[in-house]
Amino acid sequence: MNIPLNIDWRQILLHLFNFVILAGGLYILLYRPIKNFMKQREDYYQGLHQDAEQVQEQARQLKEEYQTQLSQVDSAIEQKKAAAEQELDQLREQELAEARKQADAILVKAHENAEREHREMLSKATRELTELAVTAAEKIVLDAKGDPYEQFLNLAEKEGKHEQSE
């Protein structure tokens, strides 16, 4: 057989057959396990991603719940604070009313004491004036020289000057 350009078709077919066997063997030995490994790895990371998204969603839900609870706690604190301020105002008013009562009682006692002292001073002054008048009258009666009224006035005038000088 005359083969142009030295081409042997059997050799080409054998080389093709070798190539197909090599490609099939490489496909079975290398490509499929690598492809399966890559698929498993992709599935693993996809699962991790889904788990992370679930955890992130749970964290968002928890955050929303905590914010809701925090706002409720804040409103409860504000209510308790307002109630405490109101109670404090009531206590202040009670203390102020009690202090006013005590002040009124002290003022009443002070007025009573002042009135009593005033009466005592008036009675003392009246006694002293009475004693002075009696003493002057006794002196006038005992001295019976001249006009008794004039002597009384002179004596009263002397004692008044004497008291003013002291």
Side-chain angles (χ1 to χ4, degrees):
M1 248 187 150
N2 197 357
I3 300 176
L5 297 172
N6 252 347
I7 299 179
D8 187 11
W9 288 103
R10 275 189 279 161
Q11 284 285 338
I12 293 174
L13 286 176
L14 282 174
H15 284 296
L16 278 176
F17 182 69
N18 268 344
F19 180 74
V20 168
I21 289 174
L22 179 66
L26 288 176
Y27 178 80
I28 291 171
L29 293 175
L30 293 176
Y31 183 73
R32 196 181 315 162
I34 291 174
K35 188 174 180 182
N36 288 340
F37 174 75
M38 294 300 283
K39 176 70 174 152
Q40 287 174 350
R41 186 175 175 145
E42 184 180 328
D43 290 344
Y44 172 75
Y45 284 114
Q46 186 68 25
L48 286 179
H49 181 68
Q50 288 175 352
D51 290 344
E53 284 180 350
Q54 288 176 353
V55 168
Q56 191 174 17
E57 182 62 31
Q58 288 174 351
R60 268 185 260 169
Q61 289 175 353
L62 281 174
K63 181 181 176 184
E64 289 175 4
E65 289 175 13
Y66 288 149
Q67 286 178 340
T68 304
Q69 289 176 356
L70 190 60
S71 65
Q72 290 173 352
V73 166
D74 285 343
S75 64
I77 287 172
E78 287 297 323
Q79 290 174 352
K80 287 185 179 184
K81 184 178 177 182
E85 286 177 359
Q86 191 175 32
E87 185 178 339
L88 183 62
D89 288 341
Q90 289 175 353
L91 287 173
R92 279 190 205 138
E93 289 297 322
Q94 288 174 355
E95 289 293 324
L96 187 59
E98 194 173 310
R100 284 184 182 144
K101 285 179 186 178
Q102 289 176 354
D104 289 342
I106 289 171
L107 282 175
V108 166
K109 283 184 181 179
H111 283 296
E112 288 173 357
N113 287 340
E115 184 66 32
R116 183 178 41 81
E117 287 178 16
H118 178 70
R119 277 186 263 129
E120 287 174 3
M121 288 173 62
L122 280 178
S123 68
K124 185 177 177 183
T126 305
R127 272 184 272 141
E128 287 178 3
L129 283 175
T130 306
E131 287 175 10
L132 281 174
V134 168
T135 305
E138 285 177 355
K139 284 183 181 180
I140 291 173
V141 170
L142 290 176
D143 282 345
K145 298 178 189 172
D147 188 19
Y149 293 111
E150 193 173 309
Q151 288 176 0
F152 173 73
L153 290 175
N154 288 337
L155 182 62
E157 191 174 295
K158 285 179 188 176
E159 286 192 20
K161 287 181 184 178
H162 179 64
E163 285 181 9
Q164 287 178 357
S165 64
E166 289 178 359

